[in-house]
């Protein structure tokens, strides 16, 4: 039977992992509660699947894995290659698993694969006059020709970007609680949200309100998917924005949890909970649990179906700062930040600081 993987990248306190689906096992029920129906406003998931296996692909040097220091974000390209941001470098992993240091740029983040071998990323740099940090939007062609995109807004501390089907750049302007669109013709506009208006409301254009949107992915359904905050917590909801600026909420974490929870990474895909292709857009996402003083308790991966059924992919393992491969319900993650879905599995950039 064919296995597909959730794959893990790690070095020191970071790694690149793969989570694959093993089609020869059966689903098992159990975690947390016995609800027959899953409420999309909660993390109560009756249907847990034990069909996934976690394995390390690139990891800690001392464990004799191939070495990429501090993998942070990851994206996959149509040719099967993957790009990983790491400190001030971008690594390319070819379809056969070999990897090279591909490009060096100050603090590359929000990395996305474009057309014809291009990649896009955000570089956050310090202004020479010491006034503030600013975000630079970069296109790198297949021949490594670098172009700075002249986004007509001064933006700061941007951690992500997405490429639209019309080649526009979509940017979560978290500090100003809005989504910026930079068209292929070089025109900058506000797609949704309103500057300096913090809140949570669906609607069209500036009638929709965000609270520090952070992560974005463009889906095959033609919509931008956004991880947004709620009140004073980051990563509390998943929202969908059409290219006409209409905002709808897909999922919200339950604010009544004893411990704070945050969505820390996500991927939008036409894969169901058993990793079969579907005509619908679904979401894989990691949720991090904290104590009230912000100590990390655990990191858990979920699948959210198009009809809002929530399934646990990995277990709610208490955080002990150890990596654990194997059956997904027994596997452990440290700081899973990057997430991408490919035909052969879910790849996770699991990073952290050296101990």
């Amino acid at each position: 039977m064919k296995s597909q993987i959730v794959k893990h990248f790690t070095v020191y306190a970071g790694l690149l992992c793969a989570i694959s689906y093993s089609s020869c096992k059966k689903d098992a029920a159990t975690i947390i509660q016995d609800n027959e129906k899953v409420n999309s406003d909660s993390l109560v998931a009756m249907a847990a699947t034990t069909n996934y296996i976690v394995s390390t692909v690139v990891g800690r040097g001392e464990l004799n894995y191939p070495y990429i220091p501090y993998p942070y974000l990851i994206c996959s390209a149509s040719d099967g290659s993957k790009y990983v941001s790491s400190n001030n470098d971008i690594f390319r992993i070819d379809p056969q698993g070999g990897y090279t240091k591909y490009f060096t740029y100050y603090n590359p983040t929000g990395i996305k694969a474009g057309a014809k071998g291009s990649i896009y990323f955000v570089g956050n740099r310090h202004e020479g006059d010491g006034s503030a940090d600013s975000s630079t939007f970069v296109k790198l062609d297949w021949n490594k020709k670098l172009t700075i995109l002249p986004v007509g807004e001064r933006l700061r501390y941007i951690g992500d970007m997405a490429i639209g089907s019309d080649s526009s750049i979509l940017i979560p302007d978290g500090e100003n609680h809005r989504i910026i669109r930079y068209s292929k013709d070089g025109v900058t506009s506000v797609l949704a949200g309103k500057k300096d208006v913090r809140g949570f409301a669906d609607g069209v254009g500036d009638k929709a309100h965000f609270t520090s949107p952070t992560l974005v992915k463009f889906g095959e359904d033609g919509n931008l998917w956004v991880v947004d905050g709620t009140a004073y917590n980051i990563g509390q909801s998943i929202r969908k924005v059409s290219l006409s600026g209409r905002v709808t909420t897909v999922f919200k974490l339950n604010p009544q949890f004893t411990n704070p929870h945050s969505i820390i990474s996500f991927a939008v895909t036409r894969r169901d909970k058993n990793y079969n292709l579907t005509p619908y857009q679904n979401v894989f996402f990691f949720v991090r649990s904290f104590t009230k003083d912000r100590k990390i308790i655990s990191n858990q991966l979920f699948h959210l179906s198009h009809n809002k059924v929530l399934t646990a992919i990995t277990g709610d393992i208490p955080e002990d700062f150890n990596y654990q491969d194997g059956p997904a319900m027994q596997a452990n993650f440290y700081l899973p930040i990057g997430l991408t879905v490919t035909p052969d599995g879910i790849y996770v950039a699991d990073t952290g600081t050296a101990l």
Side-chain angles (χ1 to χ4, degrees):
M1 290 269 189
K2 181 181 178 182
S3 289
Q4 293 160 333
I5 308 181
V6 179
K7 302 196 173 153
H8 211 214
F9 285 98
T10 306
V11 181
Y12 287 114
L15 33 86
L16 184 60
C17 304
I19 305 174
S20 57
Y21 185 82
S22 176
S23 58
C24 49
K25 297 180 181 178
K26 295 182 179 178
D27 279 356
T30 66
I31 79 166
I32 309 179
Q33 286 192 16
D34 60 355
N35 297 37
E36 186 171 331
K37 277 276 192 182
V38 175
N39 183 340
S40 67
D41 289 344
S42 74
L43 264 187
V44 173
M46 174 202 168
T49 176
T50 59
N51 294 9
Y52 288 85
I53 298 171
V54 177
S55 62
T56 298
V57 178
V58 179
R60 298 185 183 193
E62 68 268 26
L63 297 182
N64 297 317
Y65 290 114
Y67 180 82
I68 293 177
Y70 304 107
Y72 185 65
L73 294 177
I74 181 172
C75 71
S76 48
S78 58
D79 65 356
S81 60
K82 301 165 190 69
Y83 295 90
V84 181
S85 61
S86 168
N87 290 333
N88 295 328
D89 295 309
I90 296 171
F91 286 81
R92 180 181 183 271
I93 301 172
D94 63 41
Q96 293 73 41
Y99 70 96
T100 57
K101 185 183 289 187
Y102 187 73
F103 198 73
T104 297
Y105 196 91
Y106 182 72
N107 191 23
T109 188
I111 186 167
K112 296 292 190 301
K116 300 178 181 179
S118 63
I119 60 172
Y120 295 76
F121 59 89
V122 184
N124 288 287
R125 66 184 182 188
H126 193 70
E127 295 298 311
D129 61 5
S131 59
D133 289 342
S134 63
S135 298
T136 303
F137 300 89
V138 181
K139 178 183 179 182
L140 191 65
D141 288 332
W142 65 269
N143 59 359
K144 299 186 182 180
K145 176 187 175 183
L146 185 146
T147 303
I148 303 297
L149 304 175
V151 175
E153 291 271 347
R154 182 182 174 89
L155 303 174
R156 301 173 59 196
Y157 314 127
I158 304 299
D160 205 4
M161 64 188 296
I163 313 299
S165 58
D166 60 355
S167 298
S168 60
I169 308 298
L170 301 159
I171 304 163
D173 183 14
E175 194 167 80
N176 294 307
H177 316 298
R178 58 188 182 166
I179 305 297
I180 298 293
R181 182 184 180 198
Y182 175 76
S183 75
K184 64 179 180 180
D185 300 320
V187 177
T188 302
S189 59
V190 179
L191 178 62
K194 191 171 183 179
K195 187 174 182 178
D196 297 330
V197 176
R198 178 184 185 129
F200 187 86
D202 290 347
V204 179
D206 63 4
K207 301 296 188 295
H209 296 159
F210 295 90
T211 298
S212 302
T214 53
L215 305 175
V216 288
K217 304 278 185 177
F218 193 80
E220 292 181 44
D221 61 353
N223 294 300
L224 181 71
W225 294 65
V226 182
V227 170
D228 185 33
T230 305
Y232 294 96
N233 295 313
I234 62 168
Q236 297 294 293
S237 62
I238 297 173
R239 307 178 76 185
K240 188 166 59 173
V241 186
S242 72
L243 288 184
S244 62
R246 179 172 295 278
V247 179
T248 55
T249 299
V250 177
F251 176 83
K252 270 177 80 172
L253 290 176
N254 190 333
Q256 303 303 318
F257 286 124
T258 302
N259 295 307
H261 289 64
S262 289
I263 299 168
I264 54 170
S265 58
F266 81 131
V268 182
T269 178
R270 294 188 188 276
R271 296 275 175 177
D272 67 14
K273 67 175 184 177
N274 295 321
Y275 221 70
N276 298 312
L277 284 170
T278 78
Y280 307 107
Q281 206 76 71
N282 301 303
V283 184
F284 287 96
F285 62 97
F286 264 105
V287 172
R288 180 167 296 157
S289 303
F290 303 88
T291 62
K292 292 182 179 179
D293 60 359
R294 305 302 289 177
K295 179 182 177 182
I296 297 172
I297 299 173
S298 65
N299 300 285
Q300 189 172 17
L301 181 64
F302 289 89
H303 177 274
L304 182 71
S305 70
H306 70 283
N307 56 352
K308 299 187 179 181
V309 174
L310 193 66
T311 301
I313 303 300
T314 66
D316 188 20
I317 306 296
E319 176 59 72
D320 59 6
F321 299 99
N322 289 321
Y323 298 104
Q324 180 68 46
D325 285 352
M329 283 295 162
Q330 286 78 53
N332 203 9
F333 298 87
Y334 179 27
L335 291 175
I337 302 295
L339 189 66
T340 189
V341 176
T342 73
D344 64 325
I346 306 163
Y347 285 78
V348 181
D350 191 356
T351 192
T353 56
L355 300 177

